[in-house]
Amino acid sequence: MNVADSQRVAFVLERMGYSPTPRPEDANLIVMNTCVVRQSAEDKAYNRLQSLKPLKKQNPELVINLMGCLVGRQDPASLQTRFPMVDVFSQPSDLEPLINFLSQRDGKNIFNKEVTLQSLWLDGEAPIPQSQVGNMVTAFVPIVLGCSHACTYCVIPSRRGAEISRPPEEIIKEVKALVDKGIREITLLGQIVDRYGKDNPDFPNLASLLKKINEIEGLFRIRFLTSHPNWLGDDLLKVITELPKVMPHIEVPVQAGDDEILKAMRRGYSNQDYRALTEKIRSTIPGVSIGTDIIVGFPNETDEKFQQTFDLLNDLKLDVAHLARYSPRSGTVSARTLPDHIPDSVKWDRFRKLEELQEKIAGEIHLKKVGKSVEVLFEDTRKGRWRGRTPNNELVFVEADHELRGQLRNVNIEWAGPWSMIGSLA
Ligand code: SAM
């Protein structure tokens, strides 16, 4: 979501006459977009901000815009005393404060109107920076902003606000514009993306939206994330099998394997429910890959409770697991009501156990692909090799000295590791 927001900022700034510079020392304007989902992310944002202080001293004309979840929905006046070097504060996804600041300072608003994210979207623009047009093959398209689920550990609802779906016609226009700029794959984004349209009776649901996007010519692939186990409906699963452009990969976080922990997290399902769901996903969509998120060290997670998570991952052999150590976030229910008593060493130990397990599982899944041909959409080069992704969202590298960017090619897989595979063009 932040990548998508940052690209929109870059797009708007280019329109206002700014161009990118690789070194912060050379910049007249620095926008720092922040994530605070875990304390470590928040600490990083603070440190980075502190590191900008000398630049501001050297160049008092430098404009610093602090954006995103660190600002959240707080009053900028209260933030100003904490961050005196910041000139502009912007809530997540909000471009208005920066545009207003620059327009007032320079005495002109090149947009000749109030510019909000909404109005930019309504213009049907492809919100990617011009400097990246031709390089970008994949793009993120936020379709549900905010979140109203309120998992007890999660700071997002209070920082990004309540769930709001974007109008379908706006989304379609944006995807078409992106395709015109060379984008071949889009990922539709939402904290609970399968709740798309549930907040507005006039909007289609995600399955119907996918059908419309599938018709867009020139677009090769569609992905969506993140799903929630309780909202990933049968209609959606069916649509994935029917629509050729919708990729067989689902990101559906389980967060924990123990029922009491799941209840304390207010996730709304049980270990057994999640197992049944993965079974249904796999029987409905042949060859599907499944990704999950897991938090270890949630309050009251004993060794036995952690073992439930370990066993779940070991039994289900999911393709990807994004792991996190529990981090109490101020303002959340769990931080307020449950002491964070699990030592960091125990959290790390559990994290590493799952990491090791997942490395083995992913390695075995990929090894089965050696000798097979997979379709890869090529995105860019890394260390002299072309890099792309399979329909299951796996990374593939090939050696090729001709242009492959934006091309769909069959690749014979010759080597497989847990995090990527290597092959040659078929
Ligand atoms: N909205 C999705 C969901 O919760 O199912 C995922 C989005 S969230 C930004 C990404 C992941 O961060 C979550 O799935 C969770 O595993 C992790 N996370 C969120 N809050 C956390 C916390 N307080 N401590 C540790 N990890 C956290």
Side-chain angles (χ1 to χ4, degrees):
M1 203 65 94
N2 271 355
V3 171
D5 285 350
S6 296
Q7 273 166 357
R8 284 164 157 76
V9 173
F11 164 80
V12 163
L13 288 174
E14 276 183 351
R15 282 295 180 84
M16 297 183 88
Y18 287 81
S19 55
T21 171
R23 290 172 9 116
E25 297 79 19
D26 300 334
N28 316 96
L29 166 66
I30 295 177
V31 182
M32 208 173 103
N33 198 1
T34 54
C35 165
V36 297
V37 73
R38 290 185 280 274
Q39 188 62 44
S40 53
E42 184 159 343
D43 294 344
K44 215 165 159 185
Y46 274 113
N47 292 339
R48 194 86 177 91
L49 206 51
Q50 293 306 327
S51 77
L52 298 180
K53 249 184 184 167
L55 298 184
K56 184 88 178 175
K57 246 193 194 145
Q58 262 168 35
N59 174 13
E61 297 290 294
L62 173 68
V63 174
I64 298 180
N65 174 205
L66 183 65
M67 185 179 183
C69 286
L70 193 58
V71 175
R73 315 197 83 68
Q74 298 174 69
D75 174 13
S78 70
L79 288 163
Q80 194 69 69
T81 38
R82 274 170 70 204
F83 305 110
M85 76 282 239
V86 173
D87 302 280
V88 195
F89 295 92
S90 319
Q91 294 185 2
S93 307
D94 189 6
L95 305 180
E96 222 177 337
L98 180 61
I99 293 169
N100 288 346
F101 178 90
L102 296 175
S103 305
Q104 269 170 24
R105 191 195 60 172
D106 301 341
K108 59 176 184 192
N109 176 351
I110 58 130
F111 293 98
N112 287 327
K113 60 178 178 186
E114 286 272 285
V115 178
T116 62
L117 262 186
Q118 303 290 344
S119 68
L120 272 180
W121 284 335
L122 281 171
D123 287 347
E125 299 263 17
I128 54 174
Q130 193 57 33
S131 49
Q132 295 201 35
V133 171
N135 293 329
M136 279 175 70
V137 173
T138 65
F140 291 119
V141 178
I143 63 167
V144 186
L145 309 177
C147 183
S148 301
H149 192 77
C151 300
T152 56
Y153 53 82
C154 190
V155 76
I156 291 178
S158 72
R159 300 298 174 107
R160 283 192 171 267
E163 174 184 272
I164 304 174
S165 300
R166 286 177 61 197
E169 56 279 6
E170 221 182 82
I171 297 167
I172 308 268
K173 250 192 206 172
E174 184 174 317
V175 176
K176 283 185 177 159
L178 286 166
V179 171
D180 285 346
K181 299 264 181 208
I183 298 298
R184 295 290 166 255
E185 173 181 306
I186 53 142
T187 302
L188 305 175
L189 299 179
Q191 297 301 334
I192 301 183
V193 71
D194 17 40
R195 278 192 49 83
Y196 176 75
K198 298 263 189 281
D199 56 310
N200 190 323
D202 296 333
F203 289 179
N205 62 14
L206 182 57
S208 308
L209 181 70
L210 286 170
K211 282 185 194 161
K212 290 196 176 110
I213 297 177
N214 191 70
E215 285 166 16
I216 296 175
E217 244 173 80
L219 181 67
F220 296 167
R221 288 177 167 185
I222 308 165
R223 301 183 188 277
F224 57 90
L225 64 91
T226 306
S227 290
H228 183 287
N230 290 0
W231 294 102
L232 188 59
D234 292 353
D235 57 338
L236 192 53
L237 295 180
K238 195 161 153 272
V239 140
I240 299 173
T241 63
E242 291 168 355
L243 301 176
K245 294 181 184 174
V246 180
M247 293 294 103
H249 175 73
I250 294 183
E251 291 279 342
V252 58
V254 64
Q255 308 298 5
D258 178 80
D259 286 348
E260 275 176 34
I261 299 281
L262 285 170
K263 207 166 170 195
M265 288 177 160
R266 216 187 277 150
R267 289 292 291 177
Y269 53 84
S270 67
N271 176 311
Q272 201 42 51
D273 294 337
Y274 190 83
R275 286 173 186 262
L277 176 69
T278 52
E279 215 167 280
K280 186 162 75 177
I281 296 171
R282 284 172 166 162
S283 63
T284 312
I285 311 166
V288 70
S289 60
I290 302 176
T292 198
D293 293 6
I294 293 174
I295 299 174
V296 295
F298 189 80
N300 300 323
E301 187 188 62
T302 57
D303 286 342
E304 291 73 30
K305 288 184 191 311
F306 168 71
Q307 192 61 37
Q308 295 281 337
T309 305
F310 186 93
D311 291 346
L312 181 122
L313 197 58
N314 196 24
D315 292 346
L316 298 182
K317 307 220 179 319
L318 303 179
D319 299 74
V320 183
H322 308 283
L323 308 174
R325 288 163 296 124
Y326 172 67
S327 168
R329 309 306 293 126
S330 113
T332 60
V333 173
S334 70
R336 241 189 351 260
T337 59
L338 302 167
D340 174 32
H341 64 94
I342 304 208
D344 215 32
S345 58
V346 174
K347 287 182 186 169
W348 268 118
D349 188 47
R350 291 177 184 168
F351 181 98
R352 289 199 190 99
K353 277 190 177 130
L354 291 184
E355 194 176 44
E356 221 170 88
L357 172 65
Q358 189 54 34
E359 187 169 343
K360 188 166 149 271
I361 294 170
E364 284 167 5
I365 291 172
H366 291 164
L367 207 57
K368 288 191 193 135
K369 305 211 170 176
V370 172
K372 296 205 169 116
S373 170
V374 289
E375 192 174 53
V376 174
L377 175 61
F378 284 99
E379 295 173 20
D380 55 10
T381 54
R382 272 291 146 97
K383 294 186 183 157
R385 290 184 301 186
W386 278 97
R387 186 171 74 149
R389 285 184 182 269
T390 68
N392 287 150
N393 208 33
E394 299 145 324
L395 260 184
V396 173
F397 292 91
V398 302
E399 304 260 356
D401 39 23
H402 52 282
E403 180 70 30
L404 289 176
R405 195 185 305 270
Q407 292 183 26
L408 271 179
R409 300 287 291 267
N410 285 327
V411 171
N412 295 324
I413 299 298
E414 291 157 353
W415 176 90
W419 320 124
S420 66
M421 301 187 280
I422 301 176
S424 54
L425 292 179

